[in-house]
Amino acid sequence: MAKSEVFEGDQSVAVAKVTTELKKELHRLVKAIIEDSSSEDENGFGCIDRANQTLQALKELKEGGGKQRSSSIKRLNDNNRNNNESSTSVWASCPQEFRCPLSKELMRDPVILSTGQTYDRPFIQKWLKAGNRICPRTQQVLSHTILTPNHLVRDMITQWCKNRGVQFPGPLQYPEQDGLTEADRDLFISLLKKMSSTQPEQKEAARTLRSLTKRMPSFRALFGESLEAIPQLLTPLAQNKSQTEIHPDLQEDLITTLLNLSIHDNNKKLVAETPMVIPLLLDALRSGTIETRSNAAATLFTLSALDSNKSLIGKAGALKPLIDLLEEGHPLAMKDVASAIFNLCITHENKARAVRDGGVRALLNKIKNRVHVDELLAILAMLSSNQKAVEEMGDLGAVSCLLSLIKETNCARNKENCIAVLYTICYYDRTKWKEMREEESNYGTLSQIVQNGTSRAKRKASGILDRLNRAINLTHTA
């Protein structure tokens, strides 16, 4: 008897569960039929057929006995399995533009990175949390890590799903894998206390904090819970007035921990506005190991994602040591240094500082030697809005350098940046018109850009040619 009661109870629960699922499925199908009522393709009819089957199953569950109900449940399970197989086939055939470049799967929550590329939110967040500061697809350095919802792509995916009679899948939900325990918090407090202890303990604690803040976003967030956490972390650097007293490994671990903290968006303002941070980063830029200097530059780049931090870092005098490090040209540091200078020079006052601190000469020397041309050319184009920078470019032979680069590069963005700088030089300095006319006469360099360049490059090249042609006409008229 007990066995029978358990069986009947289990069956009642199963029937109630199946009934609920059937009603949900029917509601979805009816909605799909109504919204696609003007469509006469086979997918629309497929929705109608499945709605009829669902209604029949509901009717049998309501009217039938145990045997009939079991049959209905079995048919529903078979139907769901077929639908799942059908859905799997649909997802496999989705257009490439709807797939995340990282997961290769249909995007559920498409977002735009600063480079203009679109990714599924959880996968690009995981990429950023791992400390990556470049776009996975283009390999461009990110100017910031803010993710913008791509409503257009989401709407296109939703419509594509509707047209095929399948439901748009919701965003992927991941369980919190890095939640902190009380033991984790105790460890955090203990490690910070060791920063006021002996050097061996400081080094051990710094190495542990570097590792934890790299692997666990929750440990990065912990520093934002207390205004004293960052000053405690940096106690060994603040106590030693002379850089020669600081152990190189200890300085590297602490600066790298700052880099890890700055990746966390909620920490950017706190880290930059902690009074000792920027001066210690500048000390590290000038006198640390090459890895420490590179990570200090990367930290300044990451912090400068906030406009308020750009101004703060520029006023503190960061551009001079960054430009000095750029001139040294160490391969390990170049990318991070270029990224930091680019970000900082987005603001007008920092452009003037970069020009004053020798930025134009340093950039042109590296570009002439074909070192990190993509990144440095973008900075040069940005600085060309400063008149003093343009004058210096003309004096340092930028025109011949940029014209030769246009002829040898296949990169449309580099051609565009070259033309943008040449356009500004042409506007401010008439003494360079002769050189540009000769280039055009011998090689047709500008005309080729007008025909094959990006839309911006075409406008700039046309503008240069117009000026040169007007000057020729005026000369003939005179």
Side-chain angles (χ1 to χ4, degrees):
M1 181 68 182
K3 255 183 165 181
S4 174
E5 285 175 355
V6 170
F7 176 77
E8 289 172 4
D10 287 348
Q11 190 181 48
S12 298
V13 171
V15 169
K17 187 175 180 181
V18 169
T19 301
T20 301
E21 292 301 318
L22 281 170
K23 288 178 178 177
K24 286 181 181 177
E25 177 68 4
L26 183 61
H27 181 268
R28 184 185 72 78
L29 290 167
V30 170
K31 185 178 178 183
I33 292 166
I34 292 171
E35 290 177 349
D36 291 337
S37 57
S38 60
S39 173
E40 295 184 2
D41 61 299
E42 61 180 5
N43 291 316
F45 288 120
C47 285
I48 295 171
D49 289 341
R50 290 202 297 277
N52 284 331
Q53 292 169 7
T54 306
L55 275 170
Q56 184 62 31
L58 267 173
K59 183 178 179 183
E60 289 177 3
L61 280 171
K62 190 172 183 180
E63 297 177 353
K67 186 175 180 182
Q68 194 172 2
R69 285 177 176 177
S70 297
S71 174
S72 297
I73 292 172
K74 183 178 183 301
R75 190 187 308 120
L76 174 67
N77 288 336
D78 290 343
N79 195 35
N80 283 342
R81 185 165 57 253
N82 291 335
N83 287 344
N84 287 338
E85 289 171 358
S86 174
S87 293
T88 301
S89 174
V90 169
W91 303 141
S93 66
C94 79
Q96 196 63 34
E97 308 84 63
F98 296 166
R99 296 176 184 272
C100 174
L102 290 172
S103 69
K104 310 302 181 187
E105 297 173 0
L106 183 78
M107 290 187 281
R108 281 99 176 287
D109 188 6
V111 292
I112 306 170
L113 206 55
S114 65
T115 55
Q117 299 296 318
T118 296
Y119 300 89
D120 204 1
R121 184 184 294 275
F123 296 100
I124 192 61
Q125 282 181 332
K126 185 177 179 181
W127 169 269
L128 295 172
K129 283 181 178 180
N132 296 299
R133 299 182 301 284
I134 59 172
C135 174
R137 174 175 271 181
T138 67
Q139 300 300 301
Q140 285 179 268
V141 177
L142 302 177
S143 59
H144 60 76
T145 56
I146 298 168
L147 302 176
T148 307
N150 193 329
H151 297 297
L152 176 61
V153 169
R154 182 182 172 86
D155 290 346
M156 289 169 67
I157 295 174
T158 303
Q159 188 59 49
W160 182 85
C161 290
K162 280 182 182 179
N163 292 342
R164 281 149 187 81
V166 294
Q167 190 169 9
F168 177 75
L172 289 170
Q173 298 295 327
Y174 291 108
E176 183 64 36
Q177 296 178 340
D178 54 4
L180 291 173
T181 64
E182 203 57 43
D184 292 327
R185 292 180 180 275
D186 290 342
L187 173 62
F188 175 70
I189 293 169
S190 170
L191 291 170
L192 289 181
K193 282 182 179 177
K194 287 183 179 180
M195 291 303 164
S196 300
S197 186
T198 62
Q199 190 178 84
E201 286 199 317
Q202 289 175 345
K203 289 171 65 178
E204 181 186 357
R207 190 162 50 248
T208 303
L209 282 168
R210 174 179 178 172
S211 174
L212 288 171
T213 53
K214 178 182 179 180
R215 293 186 291 106
M216 299 176 65
S218 50
F219 254 86
R220 298 173 209 158
L222 266 179
F223 279 85
E225 295 180 7
S226 167
L227 293 176
E228 298 305 315
I230 294 174
Q232 279 184 276
L233 170 72
L234 299 175
T235 299
L237 301 183
Q239 284 177 341
N240 295 306
K241 301 300 181 184
S242 170
Q243 294 299 307
T244 57
E245 298 175 18
I246 301 171
H247 193 282
D249 291 344
L250 178 58
Q251 185 187 31
E252 181 185 312
D253 286 337
L254 292 176
I255 294 299
T256 307
T257 301
L258 274 181
L259 170 60
N260 295 340
L261 296 183
S262 68
I263 291 168
H264 195 81
D265 284 342
N266 292 339
N267 284 343
K268 293 186 191 301
K269 187 175 177 64
L270 172 66
V271 172
E273 293 184 359
T274 299
M276 64 176 65
V277 167
I278 304 299
L280 288 175
L281 285 172
L282 300 193
D283 288 341
L285 274 178
R286 297 184 185 102
S287 61
T289 65
I290 191 60
E291 186 166 348
T292 300
R293 298 171 80 188
S294 176
N295 287 344
T299 306
L300 292 173
F301 160 66
T302 310
L303 292 175
S304 63
L306 295 183
D307 287 342
S308 59
N309 287 352
K310 289 181 179 69
S311 178
L312 189 68
I313 295 166
K315 286 178 181 176
L319 282 156
K320 182 65 169 70
L322 284 170
I323 291 167
D324 290 343
L325 189 49
L326 177 71
E327 285 190 295
E328 287 182 32
H330 196 288
L332 185 65
M334 286 290 284
K335 204 116 183 168
D336 289 318
V337 171
S339 302
I341 294 173
F342 180 90
N343 248 17
L344 291 172
C345 287
I346 290 173
T347 63
H348 184 70
E349 62 268 24
N350 282 339
K351 289 177 189 175
R353 293 184 179 109
V355 174
R356 181 196 64 203
D357 292 333
V360 173
R361 182 180 295 276
L363 290 166
L364 275 173
N365 284 341
K366 295 300 175 187
I367 292 170
K368 286 176 181 178
N369 292 322
R370 302 303 188 254
V371 176
H372 285 281
V373 171
D374 298 5
E375 295 89 347
L376 303 187
L377 195 54
I379 301 171
L380 195 70
M382 187 179 290
L383 293 183
S384 66
S385 63
N386 179 283
Q387 186 171 350
K388 191 173 185 304
V390 176
E391 292 170 0
E392 199 171 335
M393 289 176 200
D395 294 339
L396 293 171
V399 172
S400 58
C401 170
L402 296 174
L403 288 171
S404 66
L405 190 57
I406 290 173
K407 287 182 288 190
E408 71 180 55
T409 184
N410 292 320
C411 176
R413 179 61 61 84
N414 285 352
K415 289 178 186 285
E416 179 183 307
N417 283 329
C418 286
I419 285 293
V421 176
L422 288 170
Y423 178 86
T424 313
I425 293 174
C426 180
Y427 183 85
Y428 282 117
D429 189 352
R430 293 190 176 194
T431 64
K432 305 303 174 189
W433 289 11
K434 181 182 178 183
E435 188 174 353
M436 293 189 200
R437 276 200 301 268
E438 289 176 353
E439 174 73 22
E440 180 61 20
S441 175
N442 293 330
Y443 303 103
T445 305
L446 299 173
S447 297
Q448 289 178 33
I449 294 293
V450 171
Q451 291 176 357
N452 305 314
T454 64
S455 57
R456 178 169 176 253
K458 287 178 180 178
R459 288 197 309 272
K460 297 290 185 182
S462 296
I464 296 173
L465 288 174
D466 286 345
R467 277 183 178 274
L468 298 181
N469 290 334
R470 282 203 302 270
I472 292 170
N473 291 336
L474 285 173
T475 303
H476 289 328
T477 302

